Amino acid sequence: MDYTASGVQHRVTVDVLDRVSRATLGQLPGVSGFSIEKNLYNEYRCGGSIDVDLQTPVAWRKSLIRIWLTLELGGEVERHPLITGLPTVAGDTQTDTVLTLQAVLKDTTAFLDDTLGSTRAYPSGTVVTTALKEIFTELGIAEAYVEPSAGTLRSDASWPPEATYRKLVNEMSATLGYAAVWSDSMGVLYVQPYQDPSERAEVFQLGWGERSVTLPLVSREYPDEMPNHFVLYTGDENPLIAEGWNTDPASPYSTVNQRVVPYPGGQVDATDQASLDRQLAVVMAQNRDGAHTYELSHRWFPLDPTRVIELQSAGRLRTPEYRWRGVAVKEPLDVKVSVVQQSFSWSKGEPVSPVSTRLRGA
């Protein structure tokens, strides 16, 4: 499908799922609008809300909501999931002709928000990924993927009764150098090694030209200075230490191009030196030059027929040079980027709004 073509039609449908089995119970009629925000830096990386003129009973506390967007153009049809979320309904408004309400949606990591209730302890030598799988099983979360690893805890670890399952999962994952748990548009939870966006395949392109989905407006932000001396260490009796310097002349924030600025964080958990070194590599990559950010608006489109843009997906941003009275003032922009934030909305009878996207240099 040509996503840049005029005449692409949008059709929104909403499924109600059983919260435990994930079986589809039917479509939710009467949806009049929705809003969705994806933000890499939020606890719930994907959330939103739907507005409903209620036409059928819904057991909100037993259900999940999945929003679909169908694209149609000249006989071509594509159907894409936008969010699978846990709904919360705090009230409604009734007249003699309609009952309206708004359901707030949180991504399925919300299943990890309960507290442990008792001290949870794991001895040294525990295989971390095995423990993580057991936690998901305990919570009845069947749709979860934990990437295998033989890494074990270097020392005994425990979490107090007031700690949440999210804290437990994320802190155990971090000992392997894994990223925080996240969920995709179908509601599947993932615990995986962090992959720097610079190492990811480019799966989208944004920018403007004769045929593009992007509006001709890009705002740029970049920090005055960033850390270039990094020290990470474990807090046990025999600490592991990893140290690194940004000395790359091509980086505007290296020791070659700015004063020495120490990294403010330091103490972390790691199963072994290799895991600590991976964490150091992540921290250094995030502070090398990737803090350049770009904000732009574009037509909603998927990466390919099987998935939509997910946070941290990598692609390329291209903009033409800026000229003033025939003089080139700003060089063309051609940079690898990753998605860190998106927001968009829809109202009945309208196409999905332009997507506001924030990109981070990769």
Side-chain angles (χ1 to χ4, degrees):
M1 181 177 290
D2 180 5
Y3 304 115
T4 67
S6 60
V8 177
Q9 296 183 336
H10 294 172
R11 181 163 52 86
V12 172
T13 53
V14 179
D15 286 347
V16 180
L17 314 179
D18 180 83
R19 186 171 294 187
V20 177
S21 69
R22 303 287 179 97
T24 301
L25 304 177
Q27 284 194 3
L28 178 64
V31 176
S32 58
F34 70 70
S35 64
I36 292 176
E37 180 180 9
K38 299 183 178 184
N39 191 327
L40 182 64
Y41 306 112
N42 286 349
E43 184 173 45
Y44 302 107
R45 293 187 178 183
C46 190
S49 64
I50 57 171
D51 299 315
V52 184
D53 297 337
L54 201 61
Q55 301 173 12
T56 185
V58 179
W60 297 105
R61 296 179 182 84
K62 297 181 179 180
S63 304
L64 290 173
I65 296 297
R66 178 173 293 154
I67 302 177
W68 294 90
L69 176 61
T70 300
L71 304 180
E72 300 179 4
L73 176 66
E76 292 184 86
V77 178
E78 292 182 3
R79 188 169 184 248
H80 303 279
L82 300 183
I83 181 176
T84 300
L86 194 69
T88 301
V89 178
D92 54 50
T93 302
Q94 182 176 354
T95 70
D96 60 341
T97 58
V98 66
L99 175 66
T100 62
L101 57 84
Q102 183 177 81
V104 175
L105 304 178
K106 299 177 181 179
D107 69 40
T108 52
T109 63
F111 288 126
L112 303 175
D113 287 341
D114 192 13
T115 55
L116 302 178
S118 60
T119 300
R120 186 67 62 95
Y122 295 90
S124 61
T126 298
V127 178
V128 174
T129 54
T130 299
L132 291 172
K133 291 177 182 178
E134 291 173 349
I135 292 169
F136 289 138
T137 300
E138 172 188 342
L139 295 175
I141 303 174
E143 297 196 9
Y145 172 75
V146 179
E147 187 154 326
S149 170
T152 59
L153 294 176
R154 292 182 63 246
S155 57
D156 297 347
S158 65
W159 285 262
E162 66 271 17
T164 63
Y165 284 95
R166 183 191 299 273
K167 180 178 176 66
L168 172 60
V169 168
N170 286 343
E171 291 185 355
M172 290 195 72
S173 302
T175 65
L176 297 174
Y178 280 22
V181 61
W182 63 282
S183 64
D184 67 8
S185 299
M186 291 293 286
V188 179
L189 298 185
Y190 290 87
V191 180
Q192 299 170 300
Y194 175 83
Q195 183 181 17
D196 187 79
S198 65
E199 300 172 353
R200 299 171 187 250
E202 295 179 16
V203 291
F204 68 88
Q205 181 172 314
L206 288 170
W208 66 81
E210 293 183 2
R211 295 180 62 80
S212 72
V213 298
T214 312
L215 301 179
L217 174 66
V218 173
S219 299
R220 305 180 181 93
E221 293 180 11
Y222 34 86
D224 183 46
E225 64 181 21
M226 293 183 67
N228 50 25
H229 180 208
F230 307 87
V231 179
L232 299 184
Y233 56 91
T234 59
D236 46 69
E237 294 182 356
N238 298 301
L240 301 173
I241 300 174
E243 183 179 22
W245 297 80
N246 179 0
T247 58
D248 181 7
S251 169
Y253 305 107
S254 68
T255 56
V256 178
N257 294 312
Q258 71 165 29
R259 69 185 181 91
V260 175
V261 179
Y263 177 65
Q267 184 171 323
V268 298
D269 290 325
T271 58
D272 50 35
Q273 187 67 47
S275 297
L276 186 62
D277 291 341
R278 282 195 296 272
Q279 293 187 52
L280 177 67
V282 169
V283 168
M284 291 184 64
Q286 291 174 338
N287 288 274
R288 182 176 58 247
D289 54 11
H292 286 64
T293 56
Y294 312 88
E295 293 186 0
L296 63 158
S297 295
H298 58 86
R299 182 187 298 181
W300 190 95
F301 75 103
L303 294 176
D304 59 45
T306 62
R307 59 176 177 162
V308 299
I309 288 180
E310 299 289 357
L311 294 174
Q312 299 198 77
S313 292
R316 187 154 292 273
L317 175 62
R318 290 189 173 98
T319 63
E321 68 178 0
Y322 175 72
R323 302 182 69 86
W324 173 251
R325 295 181 177 178
V327 177
V329 178
K330 188 74 174 181
E331 295 179 350
L333 183 65
D334 187 349
V335 61
K336 187 174 183 179
V337 292
S338 64
V339 179
V340 295
Q341 185 176 356
Q342 281 191 317
S343 59
F344 53 97
S345 60
W346 168 81
S347 295
K348 187 176 181 180
E350 301 290 336
V352 171
S353 71
V355 182
S356 176
T357 291
R358 188 174 180 88
L359 304 170
R360 182 184 174 105

